[in-house]
Amino acid sequence: MIRPSVCRLRIVYRHVDLCLSVFPWADFRTTKGAIKLHVGLNHAGYLPEFVTVTEGKNHDVIVGRTLAFPKESIVVIDKGYNDYTWYKQLTERGIFFVTRLKTNAKYRIVSRRPVLKGRGLICDQTIEFGGPQTAKKCPVQLRRIAYRDSETGKRYVFLTNNFKLAAKTIADIYKARWQVELFFKWIKQNLKIKSFVGTSKNAVMTQIWIALCMYLLLAFLKFQSKLQKSTQQILRLLQMNLFEKRDLMALLRGDPPGDKQPNINQNILL
């Protein structure tokens, strides 16, 4: 069992495409500019625990190596952060990771465990990496789990250093990574980070940080109000009443504008 205090993070990056002729400082490819938004979402509430913005050409794992996680955290890592040396370091520090195994990875099967094939599991193996370079970078034994999604029929191969959790739990942990995709989709659609007001590096960074701060404020407002409104509904409601002087909680509850009902929660928000 996982202790309630254990932190689960999902670390991913996303490119924010920029026109190289307009944003020459964001050099990424020959004719393309971009920056990378690295986000770690906490499993409890799927709120950003950390965010780092780098230039598009910076390698993803460089950011990953700088992060400090509590011992026994479970870190779900995008394939862009693949680094065998880092896997060894995380294991030595008592931090669990779940990621996708590279298709061209060379390894040796040490042992096999039985799996429930009716639950989509194909295999559950203990492996060691082969090849002189890879074996030197990551000399620890890891766990390889193959799983087929019953809905899409797609086959996934996971790599983890966690031998305690059930194989299906490992697959479910990685599957929950979809929440990160929903997070990026939400901020792109609702907080306008596809187009930028300014073209300087500082202007772009400022707009991104403002959008993320706005997301956290909306999440706090949703939690504090304890109402069954989505974050998007709260955002639309605030946009429609942006220049109205209203009691915030009364607005969220849908009270008439003239209703002056006192609400002590308003003081908490202020």
Side-chain angles (χ1 to χ4, degrees):
M1 296 293 292
I2 304 176
R3 297 202 313 267
S5 59
V6 169
C7 172
R8 293 195 205 173
L9 289 173
R10 285 157 177 80
I11 307 175
V12 296
Y13 71 91
R14 281 295 174 272
H15 287 108
V16 179
D17 294 330
L18 300 172
C19 177
L20 190 59
S21 61
V22 180
F23 302 89
W25 51 269
D27 185 22
F28 179 46
R29 291 175 184 160
T30 307
T31 59
K32 184 179 180 181
I35 57 175
K36 284 181 182 177
L37 189 61
H38 305 260
V39 179
L41 289 190
N42 195 303
H43 182 75
Y46 296 105
L47 293 176
E49 183 135 322
F50 64 83
V51 178
T52 302
V53 183
T54 65
E55 294 180 6
K57 61 184 178 182
N58 286 7
H59 199 282
D60 318 310
V61 77
I62 295 175
V63 175
R65 289 172 182 161
T66 65
L67 305 176
F69 307 107
K71 191 175 181 179
E72 296 190 21
S73 295
I74 301 177
V75 185
V76 184
I77 309 170
D78 189 278
K79 284 199 296 185
Y81 294 86
N82 180 76
D83 182 85
Y84 296 114
T85 303
W86 191 36
Y87 295 161
K88 174 178 176 290
Q89 293 171 348
L90 290 174
T91 303
E92 291 174 343
R93 286 157 47 195
I95 299 168
F96 300 117
F97 67 85
V98 178
T99 187
R100 298 267 299 279
L101 182 65
K102 294 179 67 175
T103 54
N104 61 348
K106 296 180 180 179
Y107 59 88
R108 179 178 69 87
I109 299 174
V110 178
S111 63
R112 305 173 190 266
R113 282 169 292 278
V115 295
L116 299 173
K117 294 190 176 181
R119 304 191 66 185
L121 296 168
I122 301 172
C123 65
D124 183 0
Q125 306 163 338
T126 298
I127 66 170
E128 290 179 344
F129 285 116
Q133 293 299 323
T134 307
K136 184 177 180 181
K137 292 177 181 178
C138 188
V140 298
Q141 291 186 350
L142 296 175
R143 188 179 180 188
R144 177 182 178 270
I145 298 171
Y147 171 79
R148 189 176 302 279
D149 192 314
S150 59
E151 297 178 1
T152 63
K154 188 174 180 180
R155 183 175 180 270
Y156 297 91
V157 180
F158 303 115
L159 182 69
T160 181
N161 58 350
N162 191 309
F163 289 85
K164 299 178 182 178
L165 297 177
K168 183 61 166 59
T169 302
I170 297 295
D172 289 341
I173 287 174
Y174 193 87
K175 187 176 182 180
R177 175 183 167 276
W178 179 248
Q179 293 294 329
V180 180
E181 309 296 337
L182 297 179
F183 167 78
F184 279 107
K185 182 179 179 181
W186 196 94
I187 63 172
K188 281 186 176 182
Q189 289 180 345
N190 297 281
L191 299 181
K192 312 301 181 185
I193 62 168
K194 282 188 174 182
S195 58
F196 294 90
V197 177
T199 59
S200 69
K201 183 176 181 179
N202 184 64
V204 172
M205 296 293 187
T206 299
Q207 189 167 334
I208 289 176
W209 285 116
I210 289 173
L212 292 170
C213 289
M214 183 63 184
Y215 181 86
L216 291 176
L217 286 172
L218 288 169
F220 175 73
L221 191 56
K222 173 178 167 59
F223 169 78
Q224 196 67 41
S225 67
K226 295 181 172 58
L227 298 175
Q228 299 302 315
K229 291 183 182 295
S230 68
T231 310
Q232 188 175 44
Q233 288 175 322
I234 294 176
L235 177 62
R236 294 290 180 262
L237 192 60
L238 294 176
Q239 290 174 334
M240 291 172 61
N241 296 271
L242 191 59
F243 298 104
E244 297 289 335
K245 189 175 182 180
R246 295 282 308 277
D247 180 281
L248 188 54
M249 287 302 169
L251 176 65
L252 294 177
R253 288 195 307 266
D255 296 343
D259 197 338
K260 298 292 185 180
Q261 295 180 19
N263 191 331
I264 59 173
N265 289 331
Q266 180 68 22
N267 295 329
I268 298 176
L269 289 173
L270 295 175

